[in-house]
């Protein structure tokens, strides 16, 4: 584990980074060329794929219920490390967070063991760079997402409510933005 001083320095560097000024979208990804699930919960992995097709995916209320595969319960708090100094920040959505979860209790249906924590993987690193990053706790995951969106220029496709929308709801045929 990194020391508190190292974590504070990393957070400060993230908050001080200049936002991207590029109008170019990130490179396209082709999910058909991706290897099998690198470590996401199996149900989260399938949900990510299901959300690409009209009528696919779960109803939004199910994102707050325990995962049927691993009992994960999705949080919905967005830490200040993501929003600080970013006036027009966009909510990456609970369903994107849910799709990013990594099973922490190895499929046991009895619910999370006391002290277990929420761990999240990065779909952007996986889909665009074919790179699996070590699962992160929410604070670090939001810092990581901020770097993708605020610094590197990956853009979020916003839905009617202002948060990230599911790919299946996007009316743009081949939208280059990030969807849940």
């Amino acid at each position: 584990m990194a020391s508190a001083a190292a974590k504070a320095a990393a957070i400060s560097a993230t908050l001080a980074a200049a936002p991207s000024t590029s109008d170019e979208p990130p490179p396209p990804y082709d999910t058909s060329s991706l290897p099998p699930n690198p470590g996401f919960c199996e149900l989260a992995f399938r949900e990510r794929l299901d959300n690409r097709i009209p009528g696919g995916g779960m109803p939004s209320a199910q994102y707050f219920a325990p995962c049927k595969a691993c009992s994960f319960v999705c949080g919905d708090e967005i830490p200040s490390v993501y929003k600080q100094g970013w006036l027009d920040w966009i909510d990456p959505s609970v369903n994107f967070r849910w799709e990013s979860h990594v099973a922490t209790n190895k499929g046991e249906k009895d619910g999370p063991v006391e002290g277990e924590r929420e761990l999240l993987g990065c779909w952007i690193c996986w889909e665009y760079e074919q790179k699996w990053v070590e699962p992160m706790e929410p604070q670090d995951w939001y810092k990581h997402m901020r770097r993708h969106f605020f610094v590197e220029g990956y853009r979020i496709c916003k839905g009617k409510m202002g948060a990230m929308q599911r790919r299946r709801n996007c009316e743009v045929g081949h939208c280059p933005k990030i969807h849940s």
Side-chain angles (χ1 to χ4, degrees):
M1 273 281 164
S3 71
K7 283 187 175 183
I11 289 172
S12 294
T14 298
L15 294 175
S20 170
T21 57
S22 174
D23 287 335
E24 293 297 312
Y29 68 90
D30 177 9
T31 56
S32 67
S33 67
L34 290 177
N37 184 355
F40 296 103
C41 165
E42 280 302 320
L43 189 56
F45 186 78
R46 283 197 330 259
E47 178 69 4
R48 178 76 176 163
L49 300 178
D50 289 348
N51 271 325
R52 294 180 304 155
I53 55 174
M58 304 183 310
S60 58
Q62 285 186 307
Y63 293 120
F64 293 103
C67 174
K68 290 179 175 139
C70 71
S71 303
F72 164 84
V73 177
C74 189
D76 64 352
E77 179 183 343
I78 300 174
S80 61
V81 71
Y82 180 77
K83 304 182 275 189
Q84 186 177 343
W86 186 5
L87 297 177
D88 57 349
W89 65 274
I90 300 168
D91 180 353
S93 83
V94 170
N95 47 317
F96 187 64
R97 182 170 172 168
W98 194 94
E99 291 172 345
S100 301
H101 83 266
V102 174
T104 57
N105 64 351
K106 309 297 181 237
E108 298 171 16
K109 301 262 183 195
D110 297 333
V113 175
E114 186 175 335
E116 276 191 311
R117 59 195 199 268
E118 181 176 351
L119 290 176
L120 305 164
C122 180
W123 277 106
I124 296 171
C125 287
W126 181 243
E127 291 177 334
Y128 287 85
E129 301 168 21
Q130 291 75 49
K131 180 177 117 186
W132 175 248
V133 295
E134 194 67 30
M136 301 161 264
E137 292 185 357
Q139 178 90 356
D140 293 327
W141 184 79
Y142 277 99
K143 182 174 73 172
H144 184 85
M145 290 299 114
R146 177 190 171 100
R147 190 190 61 186
H148 282 314
F149 299 133
F150 187 73
V151 179
E152 296 172 355
Y154 287 85
R155 297 187 312 256
I156 295 174
C157 186
K158 292 191 290 188
K160 294 176 185 132
M161 302 302 283
M164 179 186 287
Q165 75 172 334
R166 298 179 195 186
R167 184 170 296 283
R168 72 178 192 216
N169 296 335
C170 183
E171 295 176 357
V172 178
H174 293 286
C175 182
K177 297 179 182 180
I178 305 297
H179 302 78
S180 62

